Amino acid sequence: MVRPAGRAKRPERVSVWLEGGSSRGGAAARGGAGRGGDQPSGLDRERITAAVVRVLDAEGLAGFSMRRLAAELNVTAMSVYWYVDTKDDLLELALDAVFGELALPGAESEDWRERLRGLAVGYRALVVRHPWVSTLIGSFLNIGPCSVAFSDRVRRVIRDSGMPAHGRTGAVSAVIRFVYGSGTIEGHQDFAFALALLIAGIEAMVARG
């Protein structure tokens, strides 16, 4: 497609977390004051993100819009743009926020198998509780602080299992993909059995060295 002469090409968006997205004030902190008017009172990024999660839980991705979010917050849509640049920023913030619901075990709290089981069960419950998460995980880098903390715990568990260094990345990927793929399966017994098989497979790979 030919772009109109004189119009600058907008840089491709990478991640809200790589664009100063973790700081409060969002777009305002990056010059958003140029959008006009004073910063809206009674709003902050945490409140906005919580409202995004509520709307997504109630109406799904198809029902989410800046106008719908503004109605949930009882503000104008332009007020939200004080804190974010795009709708995608909001979705990425919401994705990381729900990862903050996970209970993460301490580094040495219990046997690695129990820690892995707890992480897997919690992650699956998260995907079931927030069905929109499974779509967004494949759409964003997912490098927010809560998501990174979860991934770090999984890596620690795999390390503590005794898995050789050359197999750890593959093992972490297998765990996350297994739980992600099982998020739409209703049978808890089937999930528990499959998880037991996964843990047995890790034990077997550790034994092989």
Side-chain angles (χ1 to χ4, degrees), residues 13 25 28 30 36 49 74 101 107 110 114 129 145 151 164 179 195:
R13 180 190 180 281
R30 303 190 300 277
T49 302
N74 196 29
E101 298 173 6
E110 25 182 18
E114 291 307 312
R129 187 164 61 248
S151 297
V179 181
L195 179 57

Side-chain angles (χ1 to χ4, degrees), residues 96 99 104 142-155:
D96 191 67
F99 268 88
L104 303 180
N142 207 18
I143 55 173
C146 296
S147 300
V148 169
F150 169 73
S151 297
D152 181 63
R153 288 300 194 285
V154 176
R155 284 193 293 270

Side-chain angles (χ1 to χ4, degrees), residues 30-170:
R30 303 190 300 277
R35 297 166 190 258
D38 295 329
Q39 185 172 357
S41 62
L43 279 183
D44 55 41
R45 180 162 281 188
E46 289 77 11
R47 182 185 169 200
I48 293 171
T49 302
V52 174
V53 172
R54 290 197 303 272
V55 173
L56 289 171
D57 284 346
E59 303 186 22
L61 284 168
F64 180 77
S65 67
M66 297 300 281
R67 180 174 296 181
R68 175 65 182 84
L69 174 63
E72 178 74 16
L73 291 165
N74 196 29
V75 299
T76 65
M78 288 306 299
S79 297
V80 178
Y81 283 113
W82 250 93
Y83 299 89
V84 294
D85 287 329
T86 69
K87 176 181 172 181
D88 280 350
D89 287 351
L90 291 170
L91 296 177
E92 196 172 3
L93 290 168
L95 177 61
D96 191 67
V98 295
F99 268 88
E101 298 173 6
L102 292 171
L104 303 180
E108 307 294 339
S109 59
E110 25 182 18
D111 178 76
W112 70 266
R113 298 166 188 81
E114 291 307 312
R115 280 185 280 151
L116 181 58
R117 189 172 287 108
L119 287 167
V121 169
Y123 184 26
R124 180 181 182 274
L126 174 72
V127 174
V128 172
R129 187 164 61 248
H130 305 291
W132 48 272
V133 164
S134 59
T135 299
L136 294 188
I137 286 176
S139 302
F140 298 111
L141 290 178
N142 207 18
I143 55 173
C146 296
S147 300
V148 169
F150 169 73
S151 297
D152 181 63
R153 288 300 194 285
V154 176
R155 284 193 293 270
R156 290 187 190 183
V157 168
I158 296 301
R159 179 200 64 195
D160 293 346
S161 73
M163 178 71 67
H166 64 81
R168 290 175 189 170
T169 299

Side-chain angles (χ1 to χ4, degrees), residues 178 185-195:
F178 160 72
I185 298 175
E186 295 297 332
H188 291 280
Q189 291 183 345
D190 290 341
F191 175 74
F193 178 71
L195 179 57

Side-chain angles (χ1 to χ4, degrees), residues 3 6-12:
R3 295 179 178 277
R7 179 174 296 181
K9 181 180 179 180
R10 183 177 181 180
E12 289 188 10

